[in-house]
Amino acid sequence: MCRFWLPVILLFVAFTALGESSTQGKAGYPNMQPLVDRVEQAISAQQAAVERFQADQQVLLALANYKGGELQPRYADLFHAYTSSVEGVVGVSMAVSEVDQAASEIFRFWGEEVEVYTDASLKAESQAGLAKTRLSYDTLIQSLRQSEAKLDPALAALKTNVTHFKHQLKPSALAELKPALLALEREIADVIDLLNNSIEHCKVFLGDFSR
């Protein structure tokens, strides 16, 4: 008898835990707090990445507008900006993965919970909530993945310039690099726009659970 009831009890406990939430008080909705927490962390990670890429822009523009002076400190600035941006990109990628992992767990449990309901009205309400939340989440994760996909190419281009500059610490070489530096600055500006857009999508998603 105990073997029969144990899985049922465990399932009930899991669904009860999912149903208790300050972010979603309606019946038929699971606990969204783990996902809300991860999305908030993604906002912080993206904001940090924006700040680091903005620092890259300043360094690139300073190099493109070079008027003379010691080049070694300029290289040090560029290298530091690059390594800082690497850390920012890693932080964004980890945050996006954690968002997706939390969402997958919640949607899996939610789908299982819907099948347990015997009350037709409550079941329909929960199904509708699941469909709406999935749609909202799909928009969010698409924005997150779109901005994330642009990060590595920007880093690769930045690394190329860092490496080239390291072996050519002379004004003539820097003058040859100017078009590439300006092109990279524009590419980074586009990445920043995507990150800011993704941050706004995160805020809209979170807003759905504060109403």
Side-chain angles (χ1 to χ4, degrees), residues 16 49 86 189 192:
T16 301
V86 169
I192 290 173

Side-chain angles (χ1 to χ4, degrees), residues 101-144:
Q101 182 178 357
S104 296
E105 283 294 305
I106 286 173
F107 289 138
R108 179 175 65 83
F109 277 110
W110 198 343
E112 292 173 356
E113 184 178 29
V114 167
E115 298 306 316
V116 174
Y117 290 136
T118 56
D119 184 285
S121 177
L122 184 58
K123 184 172 186 176
E125 182 181 358
S126 186
Q127 287 175 327
L130 174 57
K132 181 180 178 181
T133 306
R134 273 190 181 278
L135 185 62
S136 178
Y137 176 74
D138 287 344
T139 300
L140 170 66
I141 195 63
Q142 181 179 359
S143 176
L144 287 170

Side-chain angles (χ1 to χ4, degrees), residues 61-71 74 171 174 178:
L61 289 174
L63 287 173
N65 296 316
Y66 171 76
K67 303 298 182 182
E70 189 67 34
L71 285 177
R74 302 294 182 93
L174 187 55
K178 183 174 181 177

Side-chain angles (χ1 to χ4, degrees), residues 39-51 53-54 92 95-96 139-148 191-207:
V39 173
E40 288 175 343
Q41 291 170 7
I43 290 176
S44 297
Q46 290 176 111
Q47 288 173 334
V50 165
E51 293 176 0
F53 276 121
Q54 287 173 335
V92 170
V96 172
T139 300
L140 170 66
I141 195 63
Q142 181 179 359
S143 176
L144 287 170
R145 293 298 188 192
Q146 183 180 12
S147 59
E148 182 189 17
V191 169
I192 290 173
D193 286 342
L194 283 171
L195 286 169
N196 283 328
N197 182 63
S198 183
I199 289 170
E200 290 306 310
H201 275 98
C202 288
K203 292 178 179 179
V204 170
F205 183 82
L206 293 178

Side-chain angles (χ1 to χ4, degrees), residues 8 14 19 25-26 30 36 54 58 112 121-122 130 155 165 169 174:
V8 176
K26 294 173 63 179
V36 168
Q54 287 173 335
Q58 294 175 4
E112 292 173 356
S121 177
L122 184 58
L130 174 57
L155 276 184
F165 191 28
L169 285 177
L174 187 55

Side-chain angles (χ1 to χ4, degrees), residues 171-186:
S172 59
L174 187 55
E176 293 176 1
L177 270 179
K178 183 174 181 177
L181 293 173
L182 292 175
L184 179 55
E185 189 277 331
R186 290 191 294 271

